[in-house]
Amino acid sequence: MVRGISLIYGLYLLLPIVLLMIGSVGGNWTNTLLPTGITGQWYVDLWLDTSFRKAFVSSLVVAMSACAINTVLALPLAYALYHGARRGGSLAARIVSATPVAVPAITLAFGYMIVFNTDLAPWLGSMPLLIAAHAILTLPYLTNTLLADLRHLDLGRLEQAAATLGASGWQQFTGIVLPSLRQSLISGLVMVAAISVGEFGVSNLLTSFQNRTYPVVLLQAFYGATGFACAATVILLVLASASALLSSSLVKQRA
């Protein structure tokens, strides 16, 4: 019974992906169950399309920038939340943990549109605003990853031992906390990059024509040839899957 349900669930998840891969190499797919013919022309057309190449670069720039900003913000934030929770002040940690669920990305995007589409702050459609939105959107994921690792490692004892030897708070943070969080930081950043690369709602509302990300351009592909749209989707799927697998392998090594 359990195996049967698992099999059906697996097929439900994998069947669209398999159909996309088949469609990306299919010659013609119109009013048939499966495409007819085999071709690699869709991938060639995708490579020759400058809008997709530019969108691909824009997505990587936004994702890498969001990772850099999150690294600066999430490390001290998680550290402060960890010590706050130990002292009983866990409300802030709970708010950060619930933010990705309690505040949908579309709500964040509409808030940015209202605030940054004024004469005082006319930055709607700019690349810095898009990067800031992705950084804020993904910050809770990295913070939660670091916070969970801090609780698992229970660094309080090591910090107390270092304090008895005369180490300052900064020396404890750089000498004990940062080296201990190195692997969870890397796996968290890979997850942030994967979320940012595949994010569509915020990007579609905040981006301009010059700064369109890959998922935004991908939507337009579905109004053209089916094979071209399938090939473009497969590229996005490969990029996001590679990030997810890398993150998962890092977590397993940590365990």
Side-chain angles (χ1 to χ4, degrees):
M1 182 67 180
V2 175
R3 290 183 178 179
I5 295 175
S6 300
L7 180 61
I8 294 173
Y9 184 67
L11 289 174
Y12 175 75
L13 292 178
L14 293 177
L15 188 58
I17 298 174
V18 173
L19 289 175
L20 281 172
M21 291 181 174
I22 294 174
S24 69
V25 294
N28 184 29
W29 197 358
T30 305
N31 297 325
T32 56
L33 181 61
L34 294 174
T36 56
I38 298 177
T39 180
Q41 186 61 39
W42 302 123
Y43 287 98
V44 176
D45 293 343
L46 186 64
W47 173 253
L48 295 177
D49 194 317
T50 55
S51 63
F52 274 87
R53 291 207 307 270
K54 187 175 181 181
F56 189 85
V57 173
S58 295
S59 285
L60 291 181
V61 169
V62 171
M64 295 302 103
S65 301
C67 286
I69 294 173
N70 279 350
T71 302
V72 176
L73 296 179
L75 276 170
L77 178 60
Y79 189 59
L81 290 173
Y82 169 67
H83 281 284
R86 288 177 60 202
R87 292 192 295 267
S90 60
L91 178 60
R94 291 178 182 177
I95 291 175
V96 171
S97 301
T99 297
V101 179
V103 183
I106 195 72
T107 304
L108 177 67
F110 280 127
Y112 273 87
M113 289 178 66
I114 294 172
V115 174
F116 296 104
N117 193 26
T118 61
D119 293 336
L120 185 64
W123 302 328
L124 185 63
S126 65
M127 179 62 84
L129 180 63
L130 186 61
I131 292 172
H134 276 239
I136 295 300
L137 179 68
T138 54
L139 179 62
Y141 294 98
L142 180 58
T143 304
N144 283 328
T145 301
L146 297 174
L147 191 58
D149 204 22
L150 281 168
R151 289 168 175 165
H152 172 73
L153 294 172
D154 192 17
L155 298 178
R157 295 179 181 178
L158 292 177
E159 289 178 306
Q160 291 177 2
T164 59
L165 296 175
S168 64
W170 175 251
Q171 289 173 324
Q172 295 172 33
F173 181 73
T174 56
I176 298 174
V177 177
L178 287 183
S180 301
L181 294 179
R182 183 178 62 252
Q183 201 153 7
S184 61
L185 176 62
I186 295 173
S187 62
L189 288 176
V190 173
M191 179 175 61
V192 166
I195 294 173
S196 178
V197 167
E199 203 289 324
F200 173 76
V202 170
S203 302
N204 190 42
L205 292 175
L206 298 183
T207 191
S208 65
F209 183 80
Q210 296 295 328
N211 301 320
R212 291 182 299 175
T213 58
Y214 195 88
V216 176
V217 179
L218 177 61
L219 175 65
Q220 300 174 6
F222 280 91
Y223 294 103
T226 304
F228 184 82
C230 290
T233 308
V234 168
I235 296 298
L236 179 62
L237 182 65
V238 168
L239 186 61
S241 299
S243 300
L245 289 174
L246 179 59
S247 176
S248 177
S249 63
L250 290 172
V251 171
K252 287 181 179 179
Q253 289 178 10
R254 181 66 177 175

